[in-house]
Amino acid sequence: MRKRVMVWCLAFLSCFLFASASFAAIPKDSLVIAADTQILISLDPAVCYETFAAQITEAGYSGLTHIQPVNGVLTPVPALAESWDILEDGTKYVFHLRKNARFSNGDPVTADDVIFSFQRLLSIGKSPAWLLEEIGLTKENMNETILKEDDRTVVLKTKPLAPNIILSILGGSWGGIVNKKVVMANETNGDFGEAFLQDKSAGAGAGPYEIVEWKRNDHILLRANQHYWGGEPAIKQIYIKDVPEATTQFLLVQKGDVDVAWRVTTEQAAQLRDSPQKGVKLVTVPSQSNEYVAMNAQWGPFKDERVVKAVKYAIDYDAIIDSVLKGFAVLNQNFIPIGYFGYIEMNPYKKDVEKARQLLKEAGYPEGFEVELLTNPTQIRMDEAVLIQSNLAEVGIKAKVTTMPASEMYAKFRQQGHQMILAGWGIDYPDPDALAKPFANYRVKQLAWRTMWYDDHAADLAEKAGLELNDERRLELYKELQEYWIEKSSFALLYQPLDFWVIRDNLIGFEEAAAGYSITFDFTKISKK
């Protein structure tokens, strides 16, 4: 069976690469994607940390848990672990592996593979390692915290954190379990198989697909895993063609040469939204990120909360979304994204020049003041900065926009060297803790610390909510924190972006597959009419 599948696969590749393919030529059980693959670094779950690469890696590997929307909320659900027990006040997790969990070469998934995978990630020590360290698993303690009870039972000894934090972190692409036997058979110079897994999974993954090959600057090929514990997916082959230019991607999907244009421009997406075309459609989902303006709470006028609030009332949020983003964002002035546990719709600020001027007058700045607005030179950020500059000028605040490369900008921000900064935040795992820590708890030395908002009440609430085991009490804590943060913080949240794709209209389930991007993308939900 596998031999026949491979022969067909190679024939399909030859057809695609050397012929002028048409949409009708793409088989019903195959998916062809045009995407920029040049940004990828590795498809090894212990190394991969870039968004698009993580979605490919997620297809090739299963973790103990998996992230998917449940009643509109991104939730960790059983994957290789069919169930788990939480013991000892939330510091001991006992995971029970599925009997039918197998790698793509047919080998059973065992507790030894799980232990090896987590210890391998910590030993390699690349970008994803901090997420296991976040829950208390480190290279130094891994022999005492990652344990085998029997062949189908794994025990993790963690920090005392809310279960949703632990289970959500384990559900990321970095939590993908690898086949110890295959990886160690292909180890080179003590690299834990890192070079081997960089561009293929080759029997080492237990996800719905096997990563057959990645040929740089050309294509990535995935083939359905016939041993997948969740059942073989409807789409048997996924072919990702390297097409760096968004305009070319858009043309290819319009012509029917590909099923999906993974990244088109905002202008192209708006064109399709406003003037629908036969054969293609636009798909949008809320992104797992946000855009903000942060004011240095220990600098000059921003020491006065009334000045900070005046800025919040000066900004025209709707104009930013409509003019700069072409409508591809949703108003969310809350640090918790839409679709997360604990999210509350809370958008109290809108442009109110009179109110902003009154607050400035009360604070002793009736004529306004001068300030530097720092950002990086992407087109969207520069357009946003110009609009915000204009908004601030209406209330008397003279903002000088300074742009610098992102690496320099963030370095200055980390040194608390800004007055105002326009930037964004990407989210690593779908729990409010991933936002409450950076935005509200200065003690972790992330965003609140960088902007010198040293608020002990906010920090205490963020810490308590992250430790709370009871979901109802946890919701109450996050509600209190959000209400306080909206009123008191030195951040003006501008919006939550939308991610978008252009797809052929015979695809079914793409919206469901994309829900939660960039935290997760589930290719198993896609089929064709």
Side-chain angles (χ1 to χ4, degrees):
M1 173 65 180
R2 179 174 299 185
K3 189 172 182 179
R4 288 199 299 272
V5 169
M6 179 57 77
V7 169
W8 183 94
C9 171
L10 292 173
F12 171 69
L13 279 178
S14 298
C15 175
F16 188 90
L17 290 171
F18 302 115
S20 178
S22 66
F23 176 68
I26 301 176
K28 189 175 180 179
D29 63 355
S30 297
L31 185 70
V32 181
I33 298 170
D36 181 4
T37 66
Q38 297 182 43
I39 59 175
L40 307 187
I41 298 172
S42 175
L43 300 178
D44 182 338
V47 179
C48 171
Y49 202 56
E50 297 72 36
T51 297
F52 183 39
Q55 313 314 315
I56 299 169
T57 302
E58 183 183 357
Y61 299 86
S62 272
L64 294 177
T65 64
H66 172 67
I67 305 299
Q68 71 177 37
V70 177
N71 298 322
V73 176
L74 290 174
T75 304
V77 299
L80 290 179
E82 63 182 357
S83 64
W84 49 80
D85 303 306
I86 303 173
L87 309 172
E88 298 178 10
D89 295 325
T91 61
K92 181 178 179 180
Y93 286 72
V94 182
F95 292 94
H96 307 285
L97 301 180
R98 296 178 186 274
K99 292 180 181 179
N100 66 335
R102 293 186 175 276
F103 294 103
S104 61
N105 67 351
D107 290 345
V109 179
T110 69
D112 289 328
D113 296 308
V114 176
I115 292 168
F116 171 76
S117 298
F118 291 156
Q119 293 189 348
R120 174 179 182 267
L121 186 151
L122 291 167
S123 297
I124 290 175
K126 294 291 178 66
S127 296
W130 77 270
L131 286 145
L132 289 192
E133 294 166 355
E134 185 80 357
I135 65 175
L137 312 180
T138 68
K139 185 177 180 179
E140 291 71 30
N141 70 18
M142 62 187 185
N143 291 324
E144 291 76 45
T145 58
I146 308 171
L147 305 168
K148 171 183 175 180
E149 190 169 291
D150 57 47
D151 285 344
R152 291 185 52 247
T153 310
V154 176
V155 175
L156 300 182
K157 295 185 177 180
T158 70
K159 292 179 181 177
L161 297 169
N164 198 66
I165 298 174
I166 305 285
L167 299 172
S168 292
I169 287 177
L170 294 177
S173 62
W174 46 80
I177 304 305
V178 302
N179 187 329
K180 179 181 179 180
K181 181 177 71 175
V182 170
V183 172
M184 293 309 293
N186 291 278
E187 184 183 37
T188 303
N189 299 322
D191 74 343
F192 288 96
E194 184 180 341
F196 176 72
L197 292 185
Q198 186 177 41
D199 54 15
K200 57 187 171 298
S201 58
Y209 291 89
E210 181 173 78
I211 303 170
V212 177
E213 63 180 4
W214 168 23
K215 290 192 175 181
R216 302 300 192 280
N217 305 319
D218 194 274
H219 72 270
I220 299 169
L221 175 66
L222 293 86
R223 179 181 59 224
N225 173 12
Q226 57 187 311
H227 300 291
Y228 178 52
W229 59 265
E232 196 171 347
I235 296 295
K236 307 303 181 188
Q237 314 281 343
I238 301 175
Y239 184 86
I240 304 170
K241 176 65 178 171
D242 180 52
V243 183
E245 303 83 10
T247 298
T248 306
Q249 291 186 30
F250 192 42
L251 290 173
L252 287 172
V253 75
Q254 287 175 305
K255 289 169 59 182
D257 290 343
V258 303
D259 296 306
V260 180
W262 198 264
R263 273 293 174 263
V264 297
T265 67
T266 302
E267 290 73 21
Q268 290 163 345
Q271 172 191 333
L272 184 59
R273 177 195 60 201
D274 300 338
S275 302
Q277 300 174 19
K278 184 178 180 181
V280 295
K281 66 178 181 178
L282 181 68
V283 173
T284 64
V285 300
S287 178
Q288 311 309 300
S289 62
N290 56 40
E291 190 86 347
Y292 62 84
V293 169
M295 291 155 273
N296 190 324
Q298 302 301 317
W299 175 83
F302 293 143
K303 293 178 182 178
D304 193 312
E305 288 182 4
R306 291 169 294 188
V307 175
V308 171
K309 191 166 288 188
V311 170
K312 295 179 183 181
Y313 278 112
I315 295 173
D316 192 337
Y317 303 90
D318 291 336
I320 291 174
I321 292 172
D322 295 337
S323 300
V324 180
L325 279 298
K326 310 296 184 188
F328 290 106
V330 288
L331 182 65
N332 183 9
Q333 296 172 350
N334 193 340
F335 64 82
I336 297 180
I338 298 165
Y340 278 43
F341 174 88
Y343 165 75
I344 299 172
E345 184 174 342
M346 204 178 297
N347 300 311
Y349 300 107
K350 61 182 179 180
K351 184 179 178 182
D352 189 330
V353 172
E354 184 178 340
K355 191 165 189 174
R357 283 187 175 277
Q358 181 61 34
L359 286 165
L360 289 173
K361 183 178 179 181
E362 291 172 5
Y365 297 94
E367 305 302 321
F369 55 91
E370 295 182 358
V371 65
E372 179 185 60
L373 175 59
L374 181 65
T375 194
N376 61 302
T378 65
Q379 191 60 55
I380 286 178
R381 289 264 166 81
M382 290 191 294
D383 290 346
E384 289 172 353
V386 169
L387 185 52
I388 291 169
Q389 180 186 47
S390 174
N391 292 158
L392 295 176
E394 291 184 63
V395 301
I397 300 174
K398 305 171 192 66
K400 175 188 175 184
V401 176
T402 300
T403 62
M404 58 179 62
S407 58
E408 295 179 22
M409 179 189 77
Y410 285 113
K412 186 171 183 176
F413 190 25
R414 292 186 187 101
Q415 295 167 5
Q416 302 174 321
H418 70 296
Q419 295 172 7
M420 290 181 73
I421 187 170
L422 168 62
W425 184 257
I427 305 163
D428 293 292
Y429 54 95
D431 184 271
D433 179 72
L435 289 306
K437 280 179 179 174
F439 279 101
N441 185 359
Y442 72 91
R443 296 168 194 146
V444 301
K445 293 196 172 181
Q446 292 183 329
L447 298 180
W449 181 85
R450 294 173 195 171
T451 206
M452 302 182 79
W453 185 54
Y454 303 139
D455 192 297
D456 286 317
H457 182 63
D460 288 345
L461 283 172
E463 289 176 359
K464 288 178 183 177
L467 296 172
E468 180 57 54
L469 302 183
N470 181 277
D471 281 349
E472 289 186 9
R473 175 57 185 152
R474 201 166 178 239
L475 284 172
E476 292 173 4
L477 289 169
Y478 280 123
K479 182 176 184 295
E480 182 180 352
L481 176 57
Q482 289 169 83
E483 290 172 346
Y484 182 82
W485 186 90
I486 284 278
E487 179 71 17
K488 296 287 188 178
S489 83
S490 59
F491 295 90
L493 261 290
L494 303 178
Y495 59 80
Q496 184 174 342
L498 295 178
D499 285 310
F500 46 83
W501 299 259
V502 177
I503 68 172
R504 296 299 302 184
D505 63 4
N506 69 326
L507 291 190
I508 302 170
F510 195 94
E511 294 87 345
E512 290 76 15
Y517 192 85
S518 59
I519 294 291
T520 185
F521 190 95
D522 191 347
F523 284 100
T524 68
K525 296 187 182 299
I526 300 175
S527 61
K528 289 184 178 181
K529 296 178 184 176

mmCIF file of all heavy atoms in Angstrom, residues 195-228:
data_model
loop_
_atom_site.group_PDB
_atom_site.id
_atom_site.type_symbol
_atom_site.label_atom_id
_atom_site.label_comp_id
_atom_site.label_asym_id
_atom_site.label_seq_id
_atom_site.Cartn_x
_atom_site.Cartn_y
_atom_site.Cartn_z
ATOM 1 N N ALA A 195 19.914 17.460 12.878
ATOM 2 C CA ALA A 195 20.145 17.611 11.434
ATOM 3 C C ALA A 195 19.203 16.714 10.637
ATOM 4 O O ALA A 195 18.681 17.114 9.592
ATOM 5 C CB ALA A 195 21.602 17.294 11.104
ATOM 6 N N PHE A 196 18.959 15.517 11.136
ATOM 7 C CA PHE A 196 18.080 14.568 10.452
ATOM 8 C C PHE A 196 16.644 15.080 10.367
ATOM 9 O O PHE A 196 15.985 14.965 9.332
ATOM 10 C CB PHE A 196 18.132 13.226 11.190
ATOM 11 C CG PHE A 196 17.204 12.178 10.643
ATOM 12 C CD1 PHE A 196 17.457 11.567 9.422
ATOM 13 C CD2 PHE A 196 16.076 11.803 11.357
ATOM 14 C CE1 PHE A 196 16.596 10.593 8.923
ATOM 15 C CE2 PHE A 196 15.210 10.836 10.856
ATOM 16 C CZ PHE A 196 15.475 10.226 9.641
ATOM 17 N N LEU A 197 16.130 15.651 11.453
ATOM 18 C CA LEU A 197 14.731 16.091 11.509
ATOM 19 C C LEU A 197 14.516 17.502 10.976
ATOM 20 O O LEU A 197 13.381 17.976 10.963
ATOM 21 C CB LEU A 197 14.213 16.019 12.946
ATOM 22 C CG LEU A 197 14.053 14.625 13.553
ATOM 23 C CD1 LEU A 197 13.407 14.726 14.932
ATOM 24 C CD2 LEU A 197 13.237 13.717 12.654
ATOM 25 N N GLN A 198 15.557 18.146 10.514
ATOM 26 C CA GLN A 198 15.412 19.518 10.052
ATOM 27 C C GLN A 198 14.456 19.633 8.872
ATOM 28 O O GLN A 198 13.702 20.602 8.771
ATOM 29 C CB GLN A 198 16.774 20.075 9.645
ATOM 30 C CG GLN A 198 16.750 21.544 9.283
ATOM 31 C CD GLN A 198 18.136 22.069 8.953
ATOM 32 O OE1 GLN A 198 18.918 21.408 8.283
ATOM 33 N NE2 GLN A 198 18.441 23.259 9.449
ATOM 34 N N ASP A 199 14.430 18.645 7.991
ATOM 35 C CA ASP A 199 13.643 18.761 6.766
ATOM 36 C C ASP A 199 12.746 17.564 6.474
ATOM 37 O O ASP A 199 12.241 17.408 5.370
ATOM 38 C CB ASP A 199 14.563 19.010 5.568
ATOM 39 C CG ASP A 199 15.668 17.969 5.447
ATOM 40 O OD1 ASP A 199 15.564 16.910 6.104
ATOM 41 O OD2 ASP A 199 16.637 18.222 4.707
ATOM 42 N N LYS A 200 12.509 16.707 7.462
ATOM 43 C CA LYS A 200 11.626 15.542 7.280
ATOM 44 C C LYS A 200 11.307 14.953 8.650
ATOM 45 O O LYS A 200 12.008 15.208 9.632
ATOM 46 C CB LYS A 200 12.307 14.489 6.407
ATOM 47 C CG LYS A 200 13.648 14.007 6.943
ATOM 48 C CD LYS A 200 14.353 13.107 5.960
ATOM 49 C CE LYS A 200 15.777 12.790 6.379
ATOM 50 N NZ LYS A 200 16.638 13.979 6.469
ATOM 51 N N SER A 201 10.226 14.147 8.700
ATOM 52 C CA SER A 201 9.931 13.434 9.944
ATOM 53 C C SER A 201 10.301 11.960 9.824
ATOM 54 O O SER A 201 10.699 11.339 10.803
ATOM 55 C CB SER A 201 8.469 13.596 10.337
ATOM 56 O OG SER A 201 7.607 13.130 9.324
ATOM 57 N N ALA A 202 10.158 11.357 8.645
ATOM 58 C CA ALA A 202 10.733 10.034 8.328
ATOM 59 C C ALA A 202 10.490 8.977 9.400
ATOM 60 O O ALA A 202 11.419 8.335 9.878
ATOM 61 C CB ALA A 202 12.231 10.187 8.069
ATOM 62 N N GLY A 203 9.226 8.800 9.792
ATOM 63 C CA GLY A 203 8.897 7.787 10.788
ATOM 64 C C GLY A 203 9.081 8.235 12.214
ATOM 65 O O GLY A 203 8.827 7.480 13.149
ATOM 66 N N ALA A 204 9.509 9.480 12.408
ATOM 67 C CA ALA A 204 9.773 9.974 13.760
ATOM 68 C C ALA A 204 8.584 10.691 14.362
ATOM 69 O O ALA A 204 8.596 11.020 15.552
ATOM 70 C CB ALA A 204 10.980 10.913 13.750
ATOM 71 N N GLY A 205 7.525 10.957 13.568
ATOM 72 C CA GLY A 205 6.383 11.700 14.071
ATOM 73 C C GLY A 205 5.128 10.852 14.125
ATOM 74 O O GLY A 205 4.979 9.889 13.368
ATOM 75 N N ALA A 206 4.202 11.238 15.008
ATOM 76 C CA ALA A 206 2.929 10.524 15.150
ATOM 77 C C ALA A 206 1.752 11.431 14.821
ATOM 78 O O ALA A 206 0.630 11.188 15.246
ATOM 79 C CB ALA A 206 2.788 9.982 16.570
ATOM 80 N N GLY A 207 2.003 12.476 14.033
ATOM 81 C CA GLY A 207 0.945 13.396 13.645
ATOM 82 C C GLY A 207 0.122 12.856 12.493
ATOM 83 O O GLY A 207 0.367 11.754 11.993
ATOM 84 N N PRO A 208 -0.859 13.628 12.036
ATOM 85 C CA PRO A 208 -1.724 13.160 10.940
ATOM 86 C C PRO A 208 -1.000 13.026 9.604
ATOM 87 O O PRO A 208 -1.477 12.359 8.696
ATOM 88 C CB PRO A 208 -2.812 14.229 10.864
ATOM 89 C CG PRO A 208 -2.200 15.447 11.500
ATOM 90 C CD PRO A 208 -1.287 14.926 12.558
ATOM 91 N N TYR A 209 0.180 13.656 9.484
ATOM 92 C CA TYR A 209 0.947 13.590 8.248
ATOM 93 C C TYR A 209 2.407 13.253 8.533
ATOM 94 O O TYR A 209 2.910 13.504 9.633
ATOM 95 C CB TYR A 209 0.889 14.931 7.492
ATOM 96 C CG TYR A 209 -0.485 15.224 6.930
ATOM 97 C CD1 TYR A 209 -1.433 15.910 7.685
ATOM 98 C CD2 TYR A 209 -0.845 14.781 5.670
ATOM 99 C CE1 TYR A 209 -2.704 16.154 7.193
ATOM 100 C CE2 TYR A 209 -2.115 15.023 5.155
ATOM 101 C CZ TYR A 209 -3.037 15.701 5.924
ATOM 102 O OH TYR A 209 -4.300 15.929 5.425
ATOM 103 N N GLU A 210 3.047 12.675 7.550
ATOM 104 C CA GLU A 210 4.492 12.510 7.595
ATOM 105 C C GLU A 210 5.106 13.605 6.723
ATOM 106 O O GLU A 210 4.635 13.836 5.600
ATOM 107 C CB GLU A 210 4.913 11.142 7.068
ATOM 108 C CG GLU A 210 6.420 10.918 7.123
ATOM 109 C CD GLU A 210 6.814 9.499 6.753
ATOM 110 O OE1 GLU A 210 6.822 9.196 5.545
ATOM 111 O OE2 GLU A 210 7.100 8.710 7.664
ATOM 112 N N ILE A 211 6.111 14.277 7.252
ATOM 113 C CA ILE A 211 6.833 15.273 6.462
ATOM 114 C C ILE A 211 7.824 14.508 5.590
ATOM 115 O O ILE A 211 8.853 14.028 6.073
ATOM 116 C CB ILE A 211 7.546 16.294 7.364
ATOM 117 C CG1 ILE A 211 6.543 16.978 8.304
ATOM 118 C CG2 ILE A 211 8.276 17.345 6.517
ATOM 119 C CD1 ILE A 211 7.189 17.830 9.390
ATOM 120 N N VAL A 212 7.485 14.360 4.319
ATOM 121 C CA VAL A 212 8.286 13.533 3.417
ATOM 122 C C VAL A 212 9.584 14.236 3.059
ATOM 123 O O VAL A 212 10.665 13.634 3.120
ATOM 124 C CB VAL A 212 7.491 13.193 2.141
ATOM 125 C CG1 VAL A 212 8.349 12.384 1.165
ATOM 126 C CG2 VAL A 212 6.219 12.427 2.502
ATOM 127 N N GLU A 213 9.500 15.502 2.664
ATOM 128 C CA GLU A 213 10.715 16.209 2.286
ATOM 129 C C GLU A 213 10.469 17.709 2.257
ATOM 130 O O GLU A 213 9.350 18.173 2.071
ATOM 131 C CB GLU A 213 11.214 15.761 0.910
ATOM 132 C CG GLU A 213 10.263 16.065 -0.231
ATOM 133 C CD GLU A 213 10.793 15.614 -1.581
ATOM 134 O OE1 GLU A 213 11.871 15.005 -1.629
ATOM 135 O OE2 GLU A 213 10.121 15.890 -2.597
ATOM 136 N N TRP A 214 11.535 18.422 2.466
ATOM 137 C CA TRP A 214 11.562 19.870 2.281
ATOM 138 C C TRP A 214 12.768 20.189 1.419
ATOM 139 O O TRP A 214 13.912 20.045 1.858
ATOM 140 C CB TRP A 214 11.642 20.577 3.632
ATOM 141 C CG TRP A 214 11.962 22.046 3.555
ATOM 142 C CD1 TRP A 214 11.760 22.890 2.500
ATOM 143 C CD2 TRP A 214 12.553 22.850 4.597
ATOM 144 N NE1 TRP A 214 12.179 24.162 2.802
ATOM 145 C CE2 TRP A 214 12.672 24.165 4.089
ATOM 146 C CE3 TRP A 214 12.972 22.580 5.894
ATOM 147 C CZ2 TRP A 214 13.206 25.209 4.837
ATOM 148 C CZ3 TRP A 214 13.501 23.614 6.644
ATOM 149 C CH2 TRP A 214 13.614 24.909 6.132
ATOM 150 N N LYS A 215 12.524 20.589 0.191
ATOM 151 C CA LYS A 215 13.578 21.019 -0.713
ATOM 152 C C LYS A 215 13.607 22.541 -0.698
ATOM 153 O O LYS A 215 12.654 23.193 -1.131
ATOM 154 C CB LYS A 215 13.348 20.479 -2.121
ATOM 155 C CG LYS A 215 13.561 18.972 -2.216
ATOM 156 C CD LYS A 215 13.625 18.501 -3.659
ATOM 157 C CE LYS A 215 13.973 17.009 -3.713
ATOM 158 N NZ LYS A 215 14.070 16.515 -5.109
ATOM 159 N N ARG A 216 14.702 23.081 -0.192
ATOM 160 C CA ARG A 216 14.795 24.523 0.019
ATOM 161 C C ARG A 216 14.459 25.302 -1.252
ATOM 162 O O ARG A 216 14.875 24.947 -2.350
ATOM 163 C CB ARG A 216 16.197 24.923 0.481
ATOM 164 C CG ARG A 216 16.692 24.250 1.761
ATOM 165 C CD ARG A 216 15.802 24.541 2.961
ATOM 166 N NE ARG A 216 16.421 24.140 4.220
ATOM 167 C CZ ARG A 216 16.448 22.894 4.686
ATOM 168 N NH1 ARG A 216 15.899 21.928 3.977
ATOM 169 N NH2 ARG A 216 17.007 22.625 5.847
ATOM 170 N N ASN A 217 13.688 26.368 -1.052
ATOM 171 C CA ASN A 217 13.315 27.279 -2.135
ATOM 172 C C ASN A 217 12.540 26.594 -3.255
ATOM 173 O O ASN A 217 12.475 27.115 -4.367
ATOM 174 C CB ASN A 217 14.557 27.973 -2.720
ATOM 175 C CG ASN A 217 15.358 28.696 -1.659
ATOM 176 O OD1 ASN A 217 14.790 29.335 -0.781
ATOM 177 N ND2 ASN A 217 16.667 28.578 -1.729
ATOM 178 N N ASP A 218 11.943 25.452 -2.952
ATOM 179 C CA ASP A 218 11.179 24.754 -3.982
ATOM 180 C C ASP A 218 9.837 24.250 -3.445
ATOM 181 O O ASP A 218 8.789 24.731 -3.827
ATOM 182 C CB ASP A 218 11.979 23.596 -4.565
ATOM 183 C CG ASP A 218 11.365 23.080 -5.851
ATOM 184 O OD1 ASP A 218 10.451 22.225 -5.773
ATOM 185 O OD2 ASP A 218 11.780 23.539 -6.926
ATOM 186 N N HIS A 219 9.878 23.261 -2.541
ATOM 187 C CA HIS A 219 8.603 22.729 -2.055
ATOM 188 C C HIS A 219 8.790 21.952 -0.757
ATOM 189 O O HIS A 219 9.904 21.566 -0.386
ATOM 190 C CB HIS A 219 7.964 21.819 -3.107
ATOM 191 C CG HIS A 219 8.675 20.507 -3.271
ATOM 192 N ND1 HIS A 219 9.696 20.320 -4.170
ATOM 193 C CD2 HIS A 219 8.517 19.307 -2.632
ATOM 194 C CE1 HIS A 219 10.139 19.072 -4.099
ATOM 195 N NE2 HIS A 219 9.442 18.442 -3.159
ATOM 196 N N ILE A 220 7.655 21.724 -0.094
ATOM 197 C CA ILE A 220 7.562 20.813 1.055
ATOM 198 C C ILE A 220 6.436 19.839 0.741
ATOM 199 O O ILE A 220 5.368 20.244 0.267
ATOM 200 C CB ILE A 220 7.251 21.576 2.361
ATOM 201 C CG1 ILE A 220 8.368 22.581 2.672
ATOM 202 C CG2 ILE A 220 7.080 20.614 3.535
ATOM 203 C CD1 ILE A 220 8.023 23.550 3.780
ATOM 204 N N LEU A 221 6.672 18.575 0.994
ATOM 205 C CA LEU A 221 5.672 17.540 0.723
ATOM 206 C C LEU A 221 5.302 16.817 2.014
ATOM 207 O O LEU A 221 6.181 16.371 2.759
ATOM 208 C CB LEU A 221 6.202 16.539 -0.299
ATOM 209 C CG LEU A 221 5.295 15.331 -0.582
ATOM 210 C CD1 LEU A 221 4.007 15.788 -1.259
ATOM 211 C CD2 LEU A 221 6.018 14.309 -1.453
ATOM 212 N N LEU A 222 3.999 16.717 2.287
ATOM 213 C CA LEU A 222 3.485 15.944 3.415
ATOM 214 C C LEU A 222 2.556 14.863 2.885
ATOM 215 O O LEU A 222 1.796 15.092 1.937
ATOM 216 C CB LEU A 222 2.723 16.832 4.398
ATOM 217 C CG LEU A 222 3.529 17.878 5.168
ATOM 218 C CD1 LEU A 222 3.668 19.161 4.367
ATOM 219 C CD2 LEU A 222 2.874 18.183 6.515
ATOM 220 N N ARG A 223 2.610 13.691 3.511
ATOM 221 C CA ARG A 223 1.773 12.568 3.114
ATOM 222 C C ARG A 223 1.006 12.072 4.334
ATOM 223 O O ARG A 223 1.540 12.013 5.441
ATOM 224 C CB ARG A 223 2.655 11.438 2.550
ATOM 225 C CG ARG A 223 1.877 10.201 2.117
ATOM 226 C CD ARG A 223 2.823 9.117 1.602
ATOM 227 N NE ARG A 223 3.784 8.732 2.613
ATOM 228 C CZ ARG A 223 5.079 8.549 2.365
ATOM 229 N NH1 ARG A 223 5.566 8.751 1.161
ATOM 230 N NH2 ARG A 223 5.892 8.174 3.336
ATOM 231 N N ALA A 224 -0.254 11.709 4.146
ATOM 232 C CA ALA A 224 -1.091 11.252 5.257
ATOM 233 C C ALA A 224 -0.455 10.059 5.971
ATOM 234 O O ALA A 224 0.069 9.143 5.341
ATOM 235 C CB ALA A 224 -2.478 10.879 4.745
ATOM 236 N N ASN A 225 -0.513 10.094 7.287
ATOM 237 C CA ASN A 225 -0.014 9.006 8.128
ATOM 238 C C ASN A 225 -1.124 7.978 8.294
ATOM 239 O O ASN A 225 -2.105 8.213 8.997
ATOM 240 C CB ASN A 225 0.420 9.585 9.484
ATOM 241 C CG ASN A 225 0.808 8.520 10.494
ATOM 242 O OD1 ASN A 225 0.977 7.347 10.151
ATOM 243 N ND2 ASN A 225 0.951 8.934 11.750
ATOM 244 N N GLN A 226 -0.971 6.830 7.660
ATOM 245 C CA GLN A 226 -2.017 5.805 7.726
ATOM 246 C C GLN A 226 -2.129 5.173 9.107
ATOM 247 O O GLN A 226 -3.086 4.451 9.390
ATOM 248 C CB GLN A 226 -1.751 4.723 6.675
ATOM 249 C CG GLN A 226 -0.391 4.049 6.774
ATOM 250 C CD GLN A 226 -0.137 3.114 5.607
ATOM 251 O OE1 GLN A 226 -0.981 2.279 5.279
ATOM 252 N NE2 GLN A 226 1.005 3.262 4.967
ATOM 253 N N HIS A 227 -1.169 5.463 9.991
ATOM 254 C CA HIS A 227 -1.216 4.946 11.363
ATOM 255 C C HIS A 227 -1.708 5.995 12.362
ATOM 256 O O HIS A 227 -1.676 5.749 13.579
ATOM 257 C CB HIS A 227 0.176 4.461 11.795
ATOM 258 C CG HIS A 227 0.739 3.363 10.947
ATOM 259 N ND1 HIS A 227 0.225 2.092 10.946
ATOM 260 C CD2 HIS A 227 1.757 3.377 10.049
ATOM 261 C CE1 HIS A 227 0.920 1.336 10.108
ATOM 262 N NE2 HIS A 227 1.855 2.096 9.542
ATOM 263 N N TYR A 228 -2.150 7.145 11.879
ATOM 264 C CA TYR A 228 -2.525 8.242 12.775
ATOM 265 C C TYR A 228 -3.644 7.818 13.715
ATOM 266 O O TYR A 228 -4.669 7.266 13.288
ATOM 267 C CB TYR A 228 -2.955 9.453 11.945
ATOM 268 C CG TYR A 228 -3.399 10.635 12.762
ATOM 269 C CD1 TYR A 228 -2.610 11.154 13.787
ATOM 270 C CD2 TYR A 228 -4.630 11.253 12.511
ATOM 271 C CE1 TYR A 228 -3.022 12.251 14.528
ATOM 272 C CE2 TYR A 228 -5.047 12.346 13.246
ATOM 273 C CZ TYR A 228 -4.241 12.845 14.258
ATOM 274 O OH TYR A 228 -4.660 13.924 15.002
#
